[in-house]
Each structure stands twice: as structure tokens, then as C-alpha cells.
Amino acid sequence: MSLIVMKFGGSSVGTTERMQRVARRIVENRDAGHKVVVVVSAMGDTTDDLIDKTRELNPNPPAREMDMLLTTGEQISVALLSMTIHALGREAVSMTGWQAGILTEALHGKARITDIQPERIHAALNDGGVVIVAGFQGMTDTGEITTLGRGGSDTTAVALAAAIEADVCEIFTDVDGIYSTDPRVVKNARKLDEISYDEMLELANLGAAVLHPRAVEYAKQYNVKLVVRSSFNHNEGTTVKEEAVMEQGIVVSGIAFDKDVVRISILGVEDVPGVLAGVFGALADGGINVDIIVQSGVMEGKADFSFTIGSGDRDKAMAIIEGNRDHVPYRETTSEDGLVKVSIVGAGMVSNPGVAAKMFRVMAETGVSIKMVSTSEIKTSCVIEAGPLQEVVRALHTAYGLDTAGQVFVGGPSERR
Amino acid sequence: MSLIVMKFGGSSVGTTERMQRVARRIVENRDAGHKVVVVVSAMGDTTDDLIDKTRELNPNPPAREMDMLLTTGEQISVALLSMTIHALGREAVSMTGWQAGILTEALHGKARITDIQPERIHAALNDGGVVIVAGFQGMTDTGEITTLGRGGSDTTAVALAAAIEADVCEIFTDVDGIYSTDPRVVKNARKLDEISYDEMLELANLGAAVLHPRAVEYAKQYNVKLVVRSSFNHNEGTTVKEEAVMEQGIVVSGIAFDKDVVRISILGVEDVPGVLAGVFGALADGGINVDIIVQSGVMEGKADFSFTIGSGDRDKAMAIIEGNRDHVPYRETTSEDGLVKVSIVGAGMVSNPGVAAKMFRVMAETGVSIKMVSTSEIKTSCVIEAGPLQEVVRALHTAYGLDTAGQVFVGGPSERR
């Protein structure tokens, strides 16, 4: 008998038929003798519908009241899922976040979990029922209702799994698992059997929509075994855990990429202490997410540096830099769009010299010029022109032996909240 | 400075425009220097929409899970109303039933309030905000979410008013107050300025849809001053309190009536102890609401008795009596439909002999034959044929002096939950 946490996203319960399929899937585990705790998100478009209701009443509603409003979406899901399990003749008990003992910071809209008091969950499990917990929500120690922000339901599932010491936390989604690259780009992309937390984090930050980074971090911290699998079939999925089995000769697990990247360069910046902090502090205050930052050196007391952002933020970023010119003087700015970022990720890279060099060689053979480079212990990223993206990803996938033997990546629509 | 509870039903907040009007109305009281606690129901059709969602998933859902589901309706209302008040530049804090300290029995779907712990409400009021409480819901002492059943939001408002010792509990509805009879039947029906709890109870039980009897009982028990008034205008409304001012010469406050009444008679019943308990126990178990019961005497060890029910229950009631014949033997049953019940209600009746006699005389003058009579200290009811209903109500309204000087009753669509 195992203790299993199963997490289902909003699209998995978006229709009557899907809700019933999820219920049957839960009952299978329960009938196999396992204790089951389920975490579920708001159904389909519920959250968007609730947000729509606020527009005419208050375009800028207080975060506390938004949490009060939005948490009803998951409460509806858990009640309906519990009823559906009852209709199959099995016991189930739904719980809101506060009923499940999920305590958070007093930060509305993006609270972090501070503690879980699982006594009530254990009691309900011991009574023989399935426990259905509302994802994405918790309560402060003064009894205020909070939401966890993006990736919230994944985090709820992982945190609950840690708190009740579950044997596994299964994240059900609409893809079969984690792939060695986007199957829409490389036909023979392979589903990975296993991947480490760190590899998953690098892939997730590069754009993987299957599992939220915060949940992966939480899983790594508390050593929770994750399985990412499809809610549409019974395939094995991908296991995310501390020490993934390294397949022979595989040092790169997956190829990830980001589209719609813009490079901005600030040239001739006076090199005084705090200049980088000045520029990037202003961009952060403006809500702009900066990815790669490269400074290539200082010449005659002046520095040039470049960074990448999403293409939607370009005009805003340029305005912020211009508006900040009194504090951070510079000669000129340039920008380039129509770029992409390609990354190779693998825990084996750190102990295998020449992995990055092979990436640059493949780029060269494909006739691609590299605009920017960034490296970490388990990842190397190159910014290149968008045109040859598909060709480059395929060439890298082949060069690192991923066409034949399996490891990792990314892609497919999310059902994250 | 007063402490005021304001209760708004679901139709009062059913659209953006109505929600905004309610918010302005609340802000008026707050800006006049009062402390304001608001109780609100689920918006418009929300509850019905939620119930619809359950049909395909589980036609017979557990009451606990229904409460979990339906309480989201009020939670949505309070969050949106709070946001709307914020949009007017005033502070407001929404609260679920459990956050407002409303404790109930562990009886899902129809719990009664056992206690209110208003510390959190007082704290929020002292912070200067309007407090918006979800009606119709509470929590058991083990942290289960419950609903209060019919009339729940009225009861929440009255119970809160009692707990925080409010100066007044205003029930906003879509009529101007309590009328001396249905204005659709008698053109010169008059809005009452005041009415006693007991009169209101008699009128409510006779079909008044404006204020739920349970809430009136609660108000009487804790001596909460109620005002029933329109959410569409600023007219005075009707005050319901212990000792309503009796207008000179007015012994009857209002004329109420029930349509679609069926009389069932059981003839030749053996008169042994427990026979009434047998019949009416079986009907109660069948969920049939019996109104007037008349037993006219015993002849040769056999009794005849008659009772009234709503016309929709007729076939079911006949089947129950037939099915119970072994336990309660009888000679025959008869029934008569197309009947109505007309009642005169007034606290002045008890000290004024001849009030009922005048009613019978009016009936006789109108050529109406009385089928059944039932009396209490403040009410006399007659069951008559439906045909002359309008004529009889008008004649009674005139005979008891209600056309010219004011008191009471009833009618208008409800926005109760």
C-alpha cells in the first residue's frame, strides 16, 4: 500500500466527461489499496470568467479580494470531483486550502507556503476516503485566504506530498512526460524515463510548460519523487528525482529553446560601481524579465553590455533605459529582434569537457552565427537568428545522441495555474 | 453613530449596475458616520447554475459536498461587492461565514446557527472598513462548511445583528415594505409603518415572501429591530419590532391569503389513541406540509377529520393515507380542490371580541360559504372557494378599516435564499 498524491490541472476536469475520467483514475488507485490525496485546479475557464466579472466593477481590485474571489474556482472543482467519486460508489472528502492545513505568508496573489498541518488529511485518509484538496490556495495565520500565484496547484501537490511523506507525487498533464526536445520540431524526440531536479529546473526555466519551477524546487528541497504523466493514457511518464539514472554515453539530456527573443545592447557606459545594478534594478522595477546578460570587457573606462528579454517588452525596456540616462549615462543603445535562444541541458556536462565546444561546432557546420553565449554547470545557451532554429535543434539532437538513446525535454501546451 | 446591518438578496446584486447601486447605498451609510456590516446572498442565478453543474456528475450528491459547492456563490458575491466599494474609494473587507465567526450545527444543507464569535468583525469595523459577510453559510466546530437552508441570508443578517448588538437590521428587498394585503389584489393596500414580530410571523407563514419566518423568530428571540425596505428607493419601509404602535381603532393589521389549497377529509376513522399521530406522522415522513387540521367531534366511536395541503401534494397525500390504512382504518376519504385560505392577522384581535364574527359576516354578505375555520390569538383563517377570493379580500380590507388608516401585509416576489 502506497500513499499517493495525484495532481490534475484545470483542463483535465474542464468537462463532465473529463471530470468522470479523472474520478475513475483516482478510484483505480484507491481500489488497488493505496491511500490517495488529490489536488485539483479550477475547471477550464473558471478563473478567467471570475476575472472578467471584476472588470466593470473595479479594474484594479485589491489583491485580498481577488484571492477571496478566485479561490472559489478550486472550491467548486473539489466539490464536484468529490461528488463524481461518490457517484462511483466510493468515499471522498473535499477540502479547501485552509481545511487541508495549508498555511502561507500574508502576501495576497503570490503567497508562499510556510507550513502544512496535515492532521485533518490523515484523519480523512484513515476513515477510508479519498481526500480532494483545492490547489493554488492557503490561509495566513490570521485566517486570511491567500493564493499561491503561478504554478500554485503544482506547488500545493508537492508541498502536500512532502508534508504527508507520500511515496510519489503524480502530476497529470496533457503530454506523456518530459521529452528530449519539442516533438513538434524534432520528430524523433524521445520521452525521458528519468531526469534530475536540476535538469528539470533548467528545462523549466527555459520554457517547459509541463511543471512549474517553484514546484520542482520544492520537490528538490524535500526530496519528493515526482512523476509527470498523461491524464489521457496509462503510459509510464517521466520520473523527476534526485539522482536520475544516467544512460551510457548521454551527457546532454535535452535541447530546449525560447522563441521571440530580443537582444538589447547599451554601448559606451561609464564603468563606475553600481552601474549594472542601476540599469537592471530599473528594468526589474518595471516588471521586465531579463534573461541572459553579457558584459564583454571594459575599454578606456567605458563598458558595452547586452542582455535578452522577451520581444513584447522591447519598447518598455528601451524607454526605461532612456529615462534612466541621467543616472546611467551611455553613448548609444542598439537592439535586435527576430532571435531565439537554444540551450543544451544535462547533469553530465559538468564532468565532460568539450560538450559546449561540440555545440559551437554544430552551429558552425549549420552556418549559424552565434550572437550571445551563456553557460552554467548543467546548461549552455546560445542566442541565434530565428530562421535556422529547427535545423539547429535537429542537428544538436542528433549530435548529442538523443535520436537513438533517451534523455529529455520540453514543450506541449500547459494546463498550469 | 449607529451600528447597522444591511442585508441584500441575490437579485439586488444580480447585475453590474445593481451591484454598484448597492455599493453606493452602503457607502451612504458609512459616510454618514455609521459602522456598517453587510450580508449578501449569491448573485442572481449563481446557485441554480452551480446546482446544474452537479446533475450529470451525481444526481444525488452528498449534502456535505453540496455545501462546499454552494457556499462559493456567496463568497463570489462578497468579494465582488467589496471590490465595488473599493472602487468608490472606501475601505471594505469581505468575509466568508467561518471568517465572520458564524458557528452552526453539523447538519449540512439546513444547519442552524449555534453561536457567533464576532471579534473579527469588530476588529475590521474598528479599522474603519465596511464588513461584507457571506450570507447563508457557517462552519461547524470541527471546521466543516455548512449552509443554513431556506431563508439563510435573512437569518445570517439577524443573527449577526444580535451578536454585534446592532441598532437596526435593514432587510433590502424589491418591495417598499410590508403591506396590509397584496397590492395586486387590493389597489389601496397600504404599506405598514410598523408591525410586531408575531404579526409578521403569522403573515410570513401565510405566504409572505419578503422575510423568512426563521429570521423573524430569531429577531423576536433576541429583540433585533428589523426594517424591511426597498433597495430601489429611499422610502421608509416597515419596522418589525416587539411592540408595534397600534393605530387607533385598528385591530386587524393585514389580510393574507394562500392560493391552490386542497382539503382532504378522512371519514369514519376509529377513534383510538394515537390515530392522529399515525396519519399526520406518515404525511410528515412523506414531506407533506399540512396546514389547517380540523376534527369536528366523535360519533359512535368514529371520527371525521379534515386538513388542508398545497394542491401539488394531493396525489401523494392520498396514496400515503391509502398505504397506511392497515394502521389507521377509515371508512372513506374525500378531497376538494380549487380552494383558497384567507386570513386576518392582528395583535389587537386578542383583546377585541367580535373580530372573527365580523369576518364570518363579511363572508356571508359576499355570498361565500366557509369550508373550514382555524383560529389563533392573532389570526383567524377561513378556507373558501377560490372564485370570490379577490372580492372577499377587498371586502375584508374595507371592513377592518385598512383602506383608510394603515396597517399591514404581504406579497411581491421574493429574493430570498
Side-chain angles (χ1 to χ4, degrees):
Chain A
M1 191 189 78
S2 298
L3 178 50
I4 302 176
V5 173
M6 305 172 77
K7 182 260 171 181
F8 296 92
S11 70
S12 293
V13 291
T15 65
T16 296
E17 193 202 354
R18 288 179 173 205
M19 183 73 89
Q20 288 167 334
R21 188 177 54 213
V22 165
R24 284 192 299 270
R25 186 101 187 207
I26 293 165
V27 165
E28 277 171 28
N29 269 345
R30 182 248 176 226
D31 287 357
H34 303 304
K35 287 185 174 181
V36 182
V37 175
V38 178
V39 173
V40 65
S41 304
M43 295 164 67
D45 300 326
T46 309
T47 303
D48 291 338
D49 291 346
L50 288 171
I51 291 171
D52 280 347
K53 281 187 202 290
T54 69
R55 293 197 202 290
E56 285 183 48
L57 298 172
N58 189 338
N60 190 23
R64 179 194 184 277
E65 302 301 334
M66 276 306 276
D67 282 358
M68 188 68 120
L69 180 71
L70 295 184
T71 49
T72 62
E74 279 76 17
Q75 189 171 332
I76 291 170
S77 286
V78 294
L80 292 176
L81 183 53
S82 175
M83 289 177 192
T84 309
I85 291 173
H86 277 268
L88 296 174
R90 306 299 191 286
E91 282 300 310
V93 178
S94 66
M95 294 188 188
T96 61
W98 62 267
Q99 288 180 323
I102 298 171
L103 295 175
T104 76
E105 302 172 316
L107 196 64
H108 288 288
K110 48 184 174 181
R112 281 180 302 189
I113 294 173
T114 52
D115 191 20
I116 294 186
Q117 296 170 346
E119 295 75 16
R120 202 158 162 183
I121 291 177
H122 284 304
L125 287 173
N126 289 336
D127 286 347
V130 173
V131 177
I132 322 265
V133 177
F136 182 64
Q137 61 181 248
M139 182 179 77
T140 69
D141 55 10
T142 60
E144 295 285 306
I145 294 173
T146 51
T147 62
L148 307 182
R150 267 185 65 80
S153 287
D154 285 352
T155 306
T156 301
V158 174
L160 276 178
I164 65 176
E165 299 180 359
D167 296 286
V168 62
C169 177
E170 295 186 322
I171 307 287
F172 289 84
T173 179
D174 42 13
V175 294
D176 271 5
I178 311 295
Y179 278 78
S180 60
T181 192
D182 188 336
R184 290 168 301 188
V185 171
V186 179
K187 239 186 182 168
N188 48 2
R190 304 175 74 252
K191 195 202 73 195
L192 305 173
D193 293 333
E194 295 192 346
I195 183 172
S196 70
Y197 296 120
D198 286 338
E199 287 174 312
M200 187 67 214
L201 277 173
E202 289 289 9
L203 289 167
N205 284 326
L206 290 170
V210 178
L211 194 52
H212 197 271
R214 202 201 290 186
V216 180
E217 279 167 29
Y218 212 106
K220 178 178 157 78
Q221 188 178 349
Y222 292 96
N223 203 21
V224 173
K225 182 174 145 189
L226 295 175
V227 175
V228 177
R229 60 194 306 183
S230 171
S231 59
F232 296 87
N233 61 50
H234 282 69
N235 296 348
E236 282 287 332
T238 299
T239 301
V240 188
K241 59 182 188 178
E242 191 52 61
E243 288 302 328
V245 174
M246 196 74 67
E247 289 189 41
Q248 193 64 28
I250 297 293
V251 291
V252 168
S253 300
I255 319 290
F257 51 84
D258 272 359
K259 294 181 178 177
D260 294 326
V261 170
V262 168
R263 176 190 56 76
I264 292 180
S265 296
I266 311 182
L267 308 176
V269 180
E270 203 161 329
D271 181 44
V272 293
V275 65
L276 279 172
V279 172
F280 293 105
L283 290 169
D285 291 345
I288 291 172
N289 204 3
V290 173
D291 186 10
I292 296 179
I293 300 173
V294 175
Q295 185 186 352
S296 45
V298 180
M299 292 237 304
E300 298 172 3
K302 304 281 184 184
D304 298 343
F305 52 88
S306 301
F307 57 90
T308 60
I309 56 175
S311 60
D313 286 336
R314 177 198 178 134
D315 294 346
K316 192 172 177 189
M318 295 299 269
I320 288 172
I321 293 162
E322 177 71 33
N324 214 38
R325 196 165 190 167
D326 286 350
H327 303 288
V328 183
Y330 56 81
R331 193 180 69 242
E332 61 173 319
T333 55
T334 64
S335 73
E336 183 177 9
D337 52 16
L339 302 177
V340 293
K341 183 178 74 170
V342 179
S343 306
I344 55 172
V345 173
M349 287 168 67
V350 65
S351 55
N352 281 273
V355 176
K358 183 190 273 191
M359 184 181 194
F360 304 147
R361 196 165 58 240
V362 169
M363 296 282 189
E365 285 166 6
T366 324
V368 171
S369 75
I370 297 169
K371 310 271 181 179
M372 294 168 79
V373 173
S374 164
T375 60
S376 78
E377 293 194 343
I378 65 167
K379 182 182 71 167
T380 301
S381 302
C382 294
V383 175
I384 61 172
E385 280 179 8
L389 172 64
Q390 195 157 327
E391 192 186 350
V392 165
V393 173
R394 284 182 187 154
L396 290 170
H397 200 262
T398 303
Y400 287 106
L402 295 171
D403 293 350
T404 48
Q407 302 274 346
V408 185
F409 166 84
V410 154
S414 169
E415 54 175 41
R416 167 99 344 63
R417 165 163 167 184
Chain B
M1 193 188 78
S2 297
L3 178 50
I4 301 177
V5 173
M6 303 171 78
K7 182 260 170 180
F8 296 92
S11 71
S12 294
V13 292
T15 66
T16 296
E17 192 201 357
R18 287 178 175 206
M19 183 73 89
Q20 288 167 333
R21 187 176 56 213
V22 164
R24 285 192 299 271
R25 186 101 188 207
I26 293 165
V27 166
E28 277 172 27
N29 268 344
R30 182 249 176 225
D31 288 356
H34 303 304
K35 288 186 173 179
V36 182
V37 175
V38 178
V39 174
V40 64
S41 303
M43 294 163 68
D45 300 326
T46 309
T47 303
D48 291 338
D49 291 346
L50 288 170
I51 291 171
D52 280 347
K53 283 187 202 289
T54 69
R55 292 197 203 291
E56 284 184 49
L57 298 172
N58 189 338
N60 192 21
R64 179 192 183 279
E65 302 301 334
M66 277 306 276
D67 282 357
M68 188 68 120
L69 180 70
L70 295 183
T71 48
T72 62
E74 279 77 16
Q75 189 170 330
I76 291 170
S77 287
V78 293
L80 292 176
L81 183 53
S82 175
M83 289 177 192
T84 309
I85 292 173
H86 277 268
L88 296 173
R90 305 301 191 287
E91 284 298 311
V93 179
S94 66
M95 294 188 187
T96 61
W98 62 268
Q99 288 181 325
I102 299 172
L103 295 174
T104 76
E105 303 172 316
L107 196 64
H108 288 288
K110 48 184 174 182
R112 280 179 303 188
I113 295 173
T114 53
D115 192 19
I116 293 186
Q117 296 169 346
E119 294 76 16
R120 202 158 162 183
I121 291 177
H122 284 303
L125 287 173
N126 289 337
D127 285 347
V130 173
V131 177
I132 321 265
V133 178
F136 183 63
Q137 60 182 249
M139 183 180 76
T140 69
D141 55 10
T142 60
E144 296 284 308
I145 294 172
T146 50
T147 62
L148 307 181
R150 267 184 65 78
S153 288
D154 285 352
T155 306
T156 300
V158 173
L160 276 178
I164 64 176
E165 299 180 1
D167 297 286
V168 63
C169 177
E170 294 185 324
I171 307 287
F172 289 85
T173 179
D174 42 14
V175 293
D176 271 5
I178 310 295
Y179 279 78
S180 60
T181 192
D182 188 336
R184 290 168 300 189
V185 171
V186 180
K187 238 185 182 166
N188 49 1
R190 305 177 72 250
K191 196 202 73 195
L192 305 173
D193 294 331
E194 295 192 344
I195 183 173
S196 70
Y197 297 120
D198 285 339
E199 287 174 313
M200 187 67 214
L201 278 172
E202 289 289 8
L203 289 168
N205 284 324
L206 289 169
V210 178
L211 194 52
H212 197 271
R214 202 201 289 186
V216 180
E217 279 167 28
Y218 213 106
K220 177 178 156 77
Q221 189 178 348
Y222 292 96
N223 202 23
V224 173
K225 181 173 145 187
L226 295 175
V227 175
V228 177
R229 61 194 304 183
S230 172
S231 58
F232 297 88
N233 62 49
H234 282 70
N235 295 349
E236 283 286 331
T238 300
T239 300
V240 188
K241 58 183 190 178
E242 191 52 60
E243 288 302 327
V245 174
M246 196 73 67
E247 290 189 40
Q248 194 65 26
I250 297 294
V251 292
V252 168
S253 302
I255 318 289
F257 51 84
D258 271 358
K259 294 180 179 179
D260 295 325
V261 170
V262 169
R263 176 191 55 78
I264 292 180
S265 297
I266 311 181
L267 308 176
V269 181
E270 203 160 329
D271 181 44
V272 294
V275 66
L276 279 172
V279 171
F280 293 105
L283 290 169
D285 291 344
I288 291 173
N289 203 3
V290 174
D291 185 12
I292 295 179
I293 300 172
V294 175
Q295 185 186 353
S296 46
V298 179
M299 292 234 309
E300 298 173 3
K302 304 281 183 184
D304 298 343
F305 53 87
S306 301
F307 58 90
T308 61
I309 55 175
S311 60
D313 286 336
R314 177 197 176 134
D315 293 346
K316 191 171 178 191
M318 295 299 269
I320 288 172
I321 294 162
E322 177 71 32
N324 213 38
R325 195 165 191 166
D326 286 351
H327 303 287
V328 183
Y330 57 83
R331 192 179 70 242
E332 63 173 319
T333 56
T334 65
S335 73
E336 182 178 9
D337 53 16
L339 302 178
V340 293
K341 182 177 74 170
V342 179
S343 305
I344 56 173
V345 173
M349 286 169 67
V350 63
S351 54
N352 280 274
V355 176
K358 183 191 272 190
M359 183 181 196
F360 304 148
R361 196 164 58 241
V362 169
M363 297 281 190
E365 285 166 5
T366 324
V368 171
S369 74
I370 298 168
K371 310 272 181 180
M372 295 169 79
V373 173
S374 163
T375 61
S376 77
E377 292 195 344
I378 65 166
K379 181 183 70 166
T380 302
S381 302
C382 295
V383 175
I384 62 172
E385 281 179 6
L389 172 64
Q390 192 157 329
E391 191 185 350
V392 165
V393 173
R394 283 180 187 158
L396 290 169
H397 199 264
T398 303
Y400 287 106
L402 295 171
D403 294 350
T404 47
Q407 301 273 352
V408 184
F409 162 87
V410 149
S414 170
E415 54 176 41
R416 168 103 338 69
R417 164 163 170 185

